[in-house]
CSV table of all heavy atoms in Angstrom, one decimal:
chain,number,residue,atom,x,y,z
A,622,SER,N,-5.3,1.8,6.9
A,622,SER,CA,-5.2,2.1,8.4
A,622,SER,C,-5.1,0.9,9.2
A,622,SER,O,-4.3,0.7,10.1
A,622,SER,CB,-6.3,3.0,8.9
A,622,SER,OG,-6.3,4.3,8.2
A,636,THR,N,-18.3,3.4,15.7
A,636,THR,CA,-19.6,3.0,15.2
A,636,THR,C,-19.7,3.5,13.7
A,636,THR,O,-18.9,4.3,13.3
A,636,THR,CB,-20.7,3.6,16.0
A,636,THR,OG1,-20.7,5.1,15.8
A,636,THR,CG2,-20.6,3.2,17.4
A,646,VAL,N,-19.0,11.2,5.0
A,646,VAL,CA,-19.9,10.5,4.0
A,646,VAL,C,-21.1,10.1,4.8
A,646,VAL,O,-21.3,10.2,6.0
A,646,VAL,CB,-19.2,9.3,3.4
A,646,VAL,CG1,-17.9,9.7,2.7
A,646,VAL,CG2,-18.8,8.2,4.5
A,678,ALA,N,-6.3,-11.9,10.0
A,678,ALA,CA,-6.8,-11.9,8.6
A,678,ALA,C,-5.6,-12.0,7.7
A,678,ALA,O,-4.5,-11.5,8.0
A,678,ALA,CB,-7.5,-10.6,8.3
A,684,VAL,N,-6.3,-7.0,-4.5
A,684,VAL,CA,-6.7,-5.7,-4.2
A,684,VAL,C,-7.3,-5.1,-5.5
A,684,VAL,O,-6.7,-5.3,-6.6
A,684,VAL,CB,-5.4,-4.8,-3.9
A,684,VAL,CG1,-5.8,-3.4,-3.7
A,684,VAL,CG2,-4.8,-5.3,-2.6
A,717,ALA,N,16.1,6.3,-16.7
A,717,ALA,CA,16.6,7.6,-17.0
A,717,ALA,C,15.5,8.6,-17.5
A,717,ALA,O,15.6,9.8,-17.2
A,717,ALA,CB,17.7,7.5,-18.1
A,724,ARG,N,21.6,12.9,-11.9
A,724,ARG,CA,22.7,12.0,-12.0
A,724,ARG,C,22.6,10.8,-11.1
A,724,ARG,O,22.9,9.6,-11.4
A,724,ARG,CB,24.1,12.7,-11.8
A,724,ARG,CG,24.4,13.8,-12.8
A,724,ARG,CD,25.7,14.4,-12.6
A,724,ARG,NE,26.8,13.4,-12.7
A,724,ARG,CZ,28.1,13.7,-12.4
A,724,ARG,NH1,28.4,14.9,-12.0
A,724,ARG,NH2,29.0,12.7,-12.5
A,732,LEU,N,12.3,-5.9,2.1
A,732,LEU,CA,11.7,-7.2,1.9
A,732,LEU,C,10.5,-7.2,2.8
A,732,LEU,O,10.6,-6.9,4.0
A,732,LEU,CB,12.7,-8.3,2.3
A,732,LEU,CG,12.2,-9.7,2.3
A,732,LEU,CD1,12.0,-10.2,0.9
A,732,LEU,CD2,13.2,-10.7,3.0
A,767,MET,N,6.3,3.6,0.9
A,767,MET,CA,6.9,4.8,0.5
A,767,MET,C,5.9,5.9,0.1
A,767,MET,O,6.0,7.1,0.4
A,767,MET,CB,7.8,4.6,-0.7
A,767,MET,CG,8.5,5.8,-1.3
A,767,MET,SD,9.7,6.6,-0.1
A,767,MET,CE,11.1,5.5,-0.3
A,768,THR,N,4.8,5.5,-0.5
A,768,THR,CA,3.7,6.4,-1.0
A,768,THR,C,3.2,7.2,0.2
A,768,THR,O,3.0,8.4,0.2
A,768,THR,CB,2.6,5.7,-1.7
A,768,THR,OG1,3.1,4.9,-2.7
A,768,THR,CG2,1.6,6.7,-2.2
A,784,ASP,N,0.7,2.5,-12.7
A,784,ASP,CA,1.1,1.1,-12.4
A,784,ASP,C,1.3,0.3,-13.6
A,784,ASP,O,0.4,0.4,-14.5
A,784,ASP,CB,0.0,0.4,-11.5
A,784,ASP,CG,0.0,1.1,-10.1
A,784,ASP,OD1,0.9,1.7,-9.7
A,784,ASP,OD2,-1.1,1.0,-9.5
A,795,THR,N,16.0,-12.5,-6.7
A,795,THR,CA,14.6,-12.6,-6.3
A,795,THR,C,14.2,-14.0,-5.8
A,795,THR,O,13.5,-14.1,-4.8
A,795,THR,CB,13.7,-12.2,-7.5
A,795,THR,OG1,14.0,-10.9,-7.9
A,795,THR,CG2,12.2,-12.4,-7.2
Side-chain angles (χ1 to χ4, degrees):
S622 294
T636 65
V646 298
V684 177
R724 297 181 60 184
L732 178 68
M767 178 66 78
T768 306
D784 293 335
T795 296

